[in-house]
Each structure stands twice: as C-alpha cells, then as structure tokens.
Amino acid sequence: MVQKLDNMEFFSVLENSNSPVVVDFWASWCKPCKEMEHIFLEVSEEFNKSIDFYKLNVEQNESIASRYNVSNIPAFLVFKNGEVIDKFTGKRSKEELIENIERNI
C-alpha cells in the first residue's frame, strides 16, 4: 500500500518507522511520474509490509524536495532509520525498481 506524505508528517514517518521507507518524489505534470505510479503500487504490494511506501508531491512539498536535493523526478529515496541510504531517479521497469530497492534491505 502506498500512502501520501506532506511536510507535516514526513519526518515523523521516517523517525517512527521500524521498516525501510521508500519515497516516490513526483509531480502531477510529470509524465514519467504518472507512468511509474502503477509500477510503484505493484512493487509496494509485492513487499507485503516489509517496507513502507510513500509518495511525496514535490510541488506541494518543495522544502523537503530541496532538503534532499531532488532536482529530477521521478526520484526514489530509500530511508533506513531516518537516513537516506539510496537515491535513484527516472522511469524504471518493475524489475529494475525491485532490484534497486532489494539492494538496500
């Protein structure tokens, strides 16, 4: 399951998660972001609660995108214990996204 995040809850989610967290930084005008939406959802379902999946709209949450130097989207950041342990950008196949996430858990 993918949940939406905003500025108010972002850091709380990272600090309180016992699982790795993957955040999809996206925007409504971004075609590759829209193309990745269903892939991100499918991948989240495959990990069956062993990893928490979130989406963060960069237009509505510019300060967080800036803090993590997100300048290209879609961008996927993997967090563990509140710290970024990996970052990858751009459209990916389902298999590539899974590989990118698995190398961090």
Side-chain angles (χ1 to χ4, degrees):
M1 180 175 158
V2 177
Q3 300 175 54
K4 293 186 179 178
L5 281 177
D6 61 26
N7 284 331
M8 299 297 291
E9 58 200 7
F10 184 82
F11 296 105
S12 175
V13 164
L14 292 182
E15 291 170 8
N16 295 317
S17 179
N18 294 324
S19 304
V21 174
V22 180
V23 181
D24 174 8
F25 287 74
W26 68 284
S28 60
W29 48 263
C30 170
K31 185 177 180 189
C33 296
K34 288 181 181 184
E35 293 170 354
M36 286 299 301
E37 190 169 0
H38 76 281
I39 294 171
F40 193 68
L41 178 60
E42 288 177 16
V43 170
S44 74
E45 291 170 354
E46 285 196 22
F47 280 97
N48 196 22
K49 301 181 184 180
S50 63
I51 298 176
D52 296 330
F53 288 80
Y54 295 92
K55 292 181 71 67
L56 183 90
N57 185 316
V58 297
E59 294 173 300
Q60 298 169 354
N61 303 284
E62 292 178 23
S63 62
I64 293 176
S66 177
R67 177 181 178 141
Y68 292 101
N69 299 314
V70 173
S71 55
N72 296 315
I73 55 174
F76 303 92
L77 277 68
V78 182
F79 294 85
K80 194 167 186 179
N81 300 320
E83 300 293 323
V84 176
I85 58 172
D86 199 6
K87 177 180 177 180
F88 41 96
T89 60
K91 185 178 171 187
R92 302 189 180 291
S93 69
K94 180 179 176 180
E95 293 75 22
E96 290 171 319
L97 185 58
I98 289 170
E99 285 176 22
N100 288 128
I101 293 169
E102 283 183 335
R103 73 173 177 225
N104 293 291
I105 59 172

